[in-house]
Amino acid sequence: MQPVSREFGAMNNINPLLNHHQISSSLQEIGQLPQMLMGSSHFDPPTSHDDFLEQILSSVPSASSFPWADDHAPPQMEEQPAAVLASKLRQHQISNGALKALMLQQQLLLSRGLAASPDDCLLPMPHGDQNDVVDGTSFKSANLVNDATVKALFNGNFTGSLSQTSNQPHEHFHHPQTQNLGTGVGGSAAPAANQPAASGSSGGAPRQKVRARRGQATDPHSIAERLRRERIAERMKSLQELVPNANKTDKASMLDEIIDYVKFLQLQVKVLSMSRLGGAAAVAPLVADMSSEGRSGNGTQTASTSNIKDGGMTVTEHQVAKLMEEDMGSAMQYLQGKGLCLMPISLATAISTATSHSRKPPAAANPLLNGEAGGPTSPSMSVLTVQSATIGGGEPSLKDAPSVSQP
Amino acid sequence: MKNPTTNPSSSMIRTRFAVRFLHAMKKLNKKTPAPSPYRRRFHTIRAAACASMACAVGPRKAWSRAILKKIRARTLHHYLINKSRNQQMMMIKRGNPRDEELAVGFGYGEEDDLRGLVPGGEGMGFCRLLSETAHYIKCLRAQVQVMTNVLDHYSST
């Protein structure tokens, strides 16, 4: 609805004009009034205020003969006997408390939907003592005249302004405008038209909390959506602080990190609960699909030995687990300091099988432990795997979860 | 041991969890001596850890409630039944469909993974899921710290 949209622009321009009291333009306005009041078919003023308009028309008898101006047409004021109308209007302004006069003016603006040029849409304020009252009443009356959306727009704000008895009429205009935007258009009668006007006129007005955005209805659904999005965003931010490696700005990758971290923590709990079962040997059936029966037998056998021999390994493993929980980097450094590193199971398997093929370890104490006791002097890397490697069951001593293999 | 998170709430959780966990472990050790089948024992220990963590948190959070429900209803028989029933229910109540749209709109295909990870994460919206995840992560970290400490203490002696 174009008229509704234009009136906002009109309202914007009223403020300077009110202060300036441009009489000439006001005369033009008054000249347009009869056109407004006539009403034509291509207006769509609601029939509800037609009778009201008739009342107005009756008070301005000279206007009855003129047709409504077009919505988009510039004011055709020159055609009107402006002087006559002006005098009539002045009469009304002065005598009738300017109520009807301002209503006429309002109607002019609102139903015409004047363009946002300063010359066109002028709501001349009667320069008199009645400014405040006139303002309030005019706005209030405007509610009656206009259609539902505009009424909804004006209602909350102008009645509010009515309560104030400020001496600055332009403030009424300012606040109602911003409040209009803030409260949103009640009823979605013309949301699309309102939005451009609202955003256009909100350019000068201070920003409100709930902004009517272009092309987006301010119905509660979108507001709820926006609120939900904001809530999700803040939750993501708090998660970001919890999870290490939180330097990802991308939301999807952040979610990946979170998932990985949760998996990692659960794995840690798993490992810890396993290693509680009697040293590192018990962590062997960590992966569920392992054939644990044979290994458990071996595990028991090696448990006794490994409890003794794996003391150092257990401590190392726990230390590593502890460090891993804090910072992966420090954990890796610790491992490297010991001459160990982390590697995937498959690689560990390959290396272990290669090792087992290359040299048969004696059935006694874990040769790898001995090798490891040699420290980082070995040229190649010793490997500490957190999860047990599935080495074909020929070497029971290797089945410890912290399987250290030496190539 | 250096504790990265020393805010009072996490330390409270830690102490509560530690107490419960130690009690549970003591009971466990009394019931079944060490060299029993390891898998079962591992599962029991992990369940004890999770249960003590959930008890320490209390029924305030959805994920702890889910864990407690699962454990209380838990004989093997009931567990199997509930599993199938839970799976059905999980498929039915997927939370707010709009949340899924949001998740997809955000580019989150892996929302389902997160639901699978966090206990009880099936029947809640995405927004709620995120807050539950945050709390769950905190509690997991506390759990790991406590268990590590206990392990160090007992293995070193």
Side-chain angles (χ1 to χ4, degrees):
Chain A
M1 288 170 46
Q2 305 280 350
V4 177
S5 61
R6 291 237 182 72
E7 90 224 345
F8 281 94
M11 297 303 283
N12 240 338
N13 302 303
I14 291 172
N15 307 319
L17 300 170
L18 292 177
N19 293 332
H20 301 326
H21 298 298
Q22 298 176 7
I23 302 175
S24 56
S25 40
S26 73
L27 280 181
Q28 286 180 352
E29 266 305 285
I30 297 166
Q32 298 162 20
L33 278 177
Q35 302 174 17
M36 302 296 300
L37 300 174
M38 284 311 115
S40 72
S41 56
H42 39 268
F43 269 101
D44 41 343
T47 56
S48 60
H49 56 263
D50 273 349
D51 46 353
F52 188 76
L53 285 178
E54 287 168 13
Q55 288 181 14
I56 301 175
L57 287 178
S58 63
S59 63
V60 188
S62 57
S64 57
S65 57
F66 300 106
W68 282 103
D70 192 2
D71 282 355
H72 309 268
Q76 305 161 9
M77 28 199 142
E78 288 75 24
E79 303 177 0
Q80 312 306 324
V84 176
L85 295 170
S87 63
K88 288 276 182 201
L89 200 55
R90 285 291 168 215
Q91 261 184 0
H92 286 290
Q93 280 183 356
I94 297 169
S95 60
N96 298 341
L99 181 72
K100 283 184 184 165
L102 282 167
M103 287 191 304
L104 296 178
Q105 295 166 4
Q106 199 73 8
Q107 180 57 28
L108 172 93
L109 287 174
L110 298 172
S111 51
R112 282 212 43 172
L114 292 169
S117 61
D119 298 329
D120 287 344
C121 46
L122 303 177
L123 200 82
M125 292 308 300
H127 13 259
D129 355 285
Q130 303 169 352
N131 275 352
D132 310 333
V133 182
V134 162
D135 289 341
T137 51
S138 69
F139 295 152
K140 197 173 182 190
S141 57
N143 291 336
L144 307 172
V145 175
N146 301 314
D147 47 337
T149 58
V150 179
K151 197 186 303 187
L153 285 170
F154 286 137
N155 237 339
N157 315 312
F158 292 168
T159 49
S161 66
L162 271 180
S163 59
Q164 313 168 12
T165 55
S166 68
N167 292 330
Q168 294 138 0
H170 59 274
E171 282 183 7
H172 288 284
F173 287 102
H174 267 305
H175 295 311
Q177 284 179 22
T178 56
Q179 287 167 19
N180 269 337
L181 307 173
T183 55
V185 183
S188 51
N194 282 333
Q195 301 316 313
S199 49
S201 53
S202 68
R207 293 264 180 228
Q208 289 294 302
K209 235 187 336 185
V210 177
R211 229 181 11 223
R213 262 183 271 177
R214 195 171 281 271
Q216 209 181 41
T218 51
D219 55 338
H221 291 297
S222 56
I223 292 181
E225 288 279 337
R226 213 178 307 151
L227 280 178
R228 178 180 276 113
R229 267 182 222 274
E230 287 168 5
R231 240 187 299 158
I232 285 187
E234 74 183 63
R235 302 266 166 89
M236 288 286 296
K237 216 181 305 182
S238 67
L239 271 175
Q240 213 170 358
E241 291 160 14
L242 273 182
V243 177
N245 306 331
N247 47 2
K248 310 274 189 307
T249 51
D250 183 17
K251 281 203 176 93
S253 62
M254 196 58 225
L255 202 62
D256 279 336
E257 279 288 331
I258 291 170
I259 289 177
D260 284 343
Y261 190 60
V262 171
K263 280 193 207 161
F264 170 68
L265 286 178
Q266 286 177 343
L267 180 63
Q268 264 192 314
V269 171
K270 218 175 182 184
V271 168
L272 281 174
S273 62
M274 287 229 161
S275 56
R276 195 171 301 283
L277 298 180
V283 195
L286 182 66
V287 183
D289 296 340
M290 293 301 169
S291 58
S292 59
E293 294 80 24
R295 193 171 292 109
S296 60
N298 293 330
T300 39
Q301 195 175 11
T302 55
S304 50
T305 55
S306 58
N307 267 337
I308 306 168
K309 301 258 191 297
D310 287 349
M313 188 45 62
T314 307
V315 169
T316 305
E317 177 208 356
H318 297 322
Q319 186 65 26
V320 167
K322 212 189 320 176
L323 281 174
M324 273 202 300
E325 188 243 330
E326 294 173 359
D327 175 27
M328 271 313 288
S330 62
M332 299 303 289
Q333 283 175 6
Y334 178 82
L335 279 176
Q336 285 177 7
K338 293 218 163 237
L340 308 170
C341 77
L342 277 177
M343 68 157 35
I345 298 176
S346 50
L347 192 53
T349 309
I351 291 183
S352 307
T353 44
T355 309
S356 63
H357 287 318
S358 61
R359 60 168 183 181
K360 271 287 188 191
N366 198 335
L368 304 179
L369 281 184
N370 292 337
E372 187 229 349
T377 58
S378 57
S380 41
M381 287 276 256
S382 310
V383 170
L384 169 72
T385 60
V386 178
Q387 294 184 354
S388 66
T390 37
I391 306 169
E395 298 177 341
S397 59
L398 289 180
K399 303 308 177 288
D400 307 340
S403 67
V404 182
S405 63
Q406 229 182 6
Chain B
M1 159 173 152
K2 178 164 70 99
N3 291 332
T5 60
T6 49
N7 49 347
S9 66
S10 70
S11 57
M12 261 170 40
I13 289 181
R14 227 177 291 149
T15 41
R16 281 207 294 247
F17 168 68
V19 166
R20 285 182 192 271
F21 185 58
L22 289 175
H23 279 305
M25 288 305 294
K26 214 185 336 181
K27 255 194 287 185
L28 200 75
N29 274 328
K30 275 193 213 146
K31 251 200 289 194
T32 57
S36 60
Y38 277 105
R39 274 195 78 189
R40 181 55 53 109
R41 191 176 155 86
F42 146 67
H43 281 301
T44 324
I45 289 185
R46 190 167 64 144
C50 294
S52 48
M53 172 52 75
C55 286
V57 167
R60 279 196 306 264
K61 289 286 171 180
W63 64 265
S64 62
R65 280 197 295 266
I67 291 185
L68 290 174
K69 208 187 304 180
K70 196 169 35 161
I71 288 178
R72 278 168 191 162
R74 192 175 182 175
T75 63
L76 190 63
H77 181 62
H78 281 164
Y79 178 67
L80 287 176
I81 288 182
N82 282 343
K83 206 167 160 186
S84 58
R85 198 181 298 156
N86 281 342
Q87 280 171 0
Q88 288 174 16
M89 294 205 34
M90 286 166 199
M91 290 209 257
I92 289 174
K93 47 167 189 170
R94 279 288 290 185
N96 202 347
R98 206 184 289 153
D99 286 336
E100 292 186 3
E101 285 174 22
L102 264 186
V104 168
F106 274 38
Y108 297 153
E110 46 285 300
E111 174 203 0
D112 305 335
D113 297 348
L114 197 58
R115 282 186 197 271
L117 278 180
V118 176
E122 296 289 334
M124 61 174 83
F126 187 58
C127 189
R128 182 113 184 266
L129 182 68
L130 286 182
S131 52
E132 293 288 326
T133 309
H135 193 260
Y136 186 57
I137 285 182
K138 259 194 281 189
C139 291
L140 275 182
R141 279 170 75 154
Q143 195 173 3
V144 166
Q145 283 175 358
V146 169
M147 286 172 76
T148 314
N149 283 336
V150 169
L151 198 56
D152 276 347
H153 179 256
Y154 280 112
S155 60
S156 59
T157 56

